[in-house]
Structures are given as structure tokens and as C-alpha cells.
Amino acid sequence: MEELNKLWREISEKNWRTGLDEAPPSERPFSPTSQNMMAEMTRKVLYKVWFIIGFILLYGVWAVIAIDGNREIILLIAAMLLFGLFNLWLVLPPYLRMKKQVGMMSGNLKEVLHFYHEQLHGIVRRENIIGGVFTPIAAMLGFSFAIIEEEGSFLFIWERPWLLATMLVTGLLIGALGAWMTVWLNRKAFGKYLDYLKENLKQLEENE
């Protein structure tokens, strides 16, 4: 089996280099090395998908457990559950398109690089926006949860301006930190792949 894999790699590299010599930069065939990079990139996105699904399942179980409890608590859990579903709706379709492309690997080098850059950049950009918009909301929901669980209603916060102001300030501070963490984590997880795609696309455009 190892010999067959080695032979396949040699044939693939030979065919790729033949196409590389015969085709202009924008129409060069897709190399096996680049294919491995795209497969690794797609696996990283899959880990993100599984993390989101785990988040949804956690809040789903919590919602079932709390179904007979405080109505406002249930609404807070439902809000977080909907947030998880919304996040999955944004990430899953691009992942499935990337997975399909890895399996088919159709198109020339420039087309494939552009496709992956478009999909991955879209995922990161949307997640960064979500981090900026929803993290403050999630922080305020968490703040409210503790008080509602203790006092029984959100009115306890609403009727006390100082407590409402504290909730808002806490949400904004934690939200700013959460938004920064989202950008930083996405950069750590996908930065090298985005750089790889941008650099290769730039080289192809310069050589055309």
C-alpha cells in the first residue's frame, strides 16, 4: 500500500509539473501539495463546526432540563440556543462547499485558490462580526441570568437604574474583550491559511 501511495504521488507530481510547464500561471493545474493544504484547512473548519454543534447540544440539554422552571430563564437559554443555530447556519454551508471541492478538486490553480479564499475569508469575517455584535448581548444575558435565578424576574434589574447601568457596562466591557478574542482566535486558527491563499493568488496575478 505504501508503494502504491508513493507511486501515485510521483505520477501526480509529474502530471502537475507537465501542466505547469505547458499552461499559463492562471490556468496551471492544482498541485498535490496544495491539495493537502486545502484538506488540512477544511479539517480546521470542521473542528469549528463540531464546536458549534457541541454548544447547541449543551444549551439544548439545558433547555430540556429547565423546561418546567422560570419562564425568563427558559427564554435566555432559548436565545443562546438560537444564537448557536444561527452561527451554524453561517459556517456549515461554506464548510460543505469546501469539503465538496476537496473531493472533486476541479478547476485550475487560480480558480481553486480563489474559491478557498472566498469561503474561508467569508467564514472568518462573519464570525468576527458575530463576535462584535452578539458577545455583548451574551454577556448581558449571563449577567441577567444570575439575578433572575436569584430574584425571579428581570424586573428586579429594570427597576434599579444602577443595576441596569452595571449590566450594560459589564456587557460592553466583556463584549469588547470577547470580540477581540474572536478575531485573535480566528487569526490563530486560520491566519496562515489565509496568508497562504493571498500570497499564492498575488504571485499568480503578478505572473500573468
Side-chain angles (χ1 to χ4, degrees):
M1 182 61 71
E2 179 63 28
E3 292 180 359
L4 287 175
N5 289 335
K6 183 178 179 181
L7 179 62
W8 179 87
R9 285 194 297 269
E10 290 175 352
I11 293 172
S12 298
E13 289 286 354
K14 182 179 179 181
N15 291 338
W16 174 70
R17 294 187 182 282
T18 300
L20 190 66
D21 295 334
E22 296 176 351
S26 63
E27 298 179 4
R28 288 173 182 172
F30 198 68
S31 73
T33 302
S34 296
Q35 185 172 353
N36 291 336
M37 174 66 81
M38 302 309 165
E40 180 184 340
M41 186 189 311
T42 304
R43 282 194 297 273
K44 284 290 185 70
V45 178
L46 176 60
Y47 299 154
K48 180 179 287 292
V49 170
W50 280 117
F51 177 81
I52 296 171
I53 291 174
F55 177 90
I56 292 170
L57 291 175
L58 175 65
Y59 277 91
V61 171
W62 192 5
V64 171
I65 294 173
I67 194 68
D68 295 325
N70 186 297
R71 184 178 179 182
E72 293 183 23
I73 293 292
I74 296 172
L75 290 175
L76 291 179
I77 298 171
M80 296 305 294
L81 183 60
L82 288 174
F83 164 73
L85 291 170
F86 178 69
N87 199 6
L88 182 64
W89 178 71
L90 291 177
V91 175
L92 184 59
Y95 162 73
L96 293 175
R97 288 192 290 268
M98 292 170 71
K99 182 181 178 183
K100 182 178 180 181
Q101 179 68 12
V102 167
M104 295 173 56
M105 205 48 68
S106 59
N108 58 50
L109 180 59
K110 185 175 181 180
E111 289 174 344
V112 173
L113 290 174
H114 179 73
F115 169 82
Y116 275 96
H117 183 266
E118 185 179 61
Q119 300 301 318
L120 189 60
H121 183 262
I123 290 173
V124 171
R125 179 173 54 83
R126 286 189 291 270
E127 281 226 322
N128 289 344
I129 292 173
I130 287 175
V133 173
F134 287 98
T135 305
I137 297 173
M140 286 185 276
L141 289 176
F143 184 96
S144 302
F145 173 82
I147 295 176
I148 292 171
E149 191 174 41
E150 182 68 25
E151 303 296 336
S153 176
F154 182 78
L155 288 175
F156 184 85
I157 301 173
W158 189 257
E159 293 171 351
R160 292 163 176 77
W162 67 270
L163 191 56
L164 184 61
T166 302
M167 182 188 74
L168 293 173
V169 171
T170 301
L172 290 175
L173 291 175
I174 295 178
L177 177 61
W180 178 82
M181 282 292 295
T182 301
V183 173
W184 183 79
L185 288 171
N186 277 328
R187 182 64 189 170
K188 290 290 289 183
F190 301 109
K192 70 174 183 178
Y193 301 111
L194 286 171
D195 290 342
Y196 170 86
L197 295 168
K198 285 190 291 186
E199 288 172 7
N200 280 274
L201 283 170
K202 183 179 179 180
Q203 288 178 7
L204 288 174
E205 290 172 358
E206 290 175 349
N207 292 331
E208 285 183 346

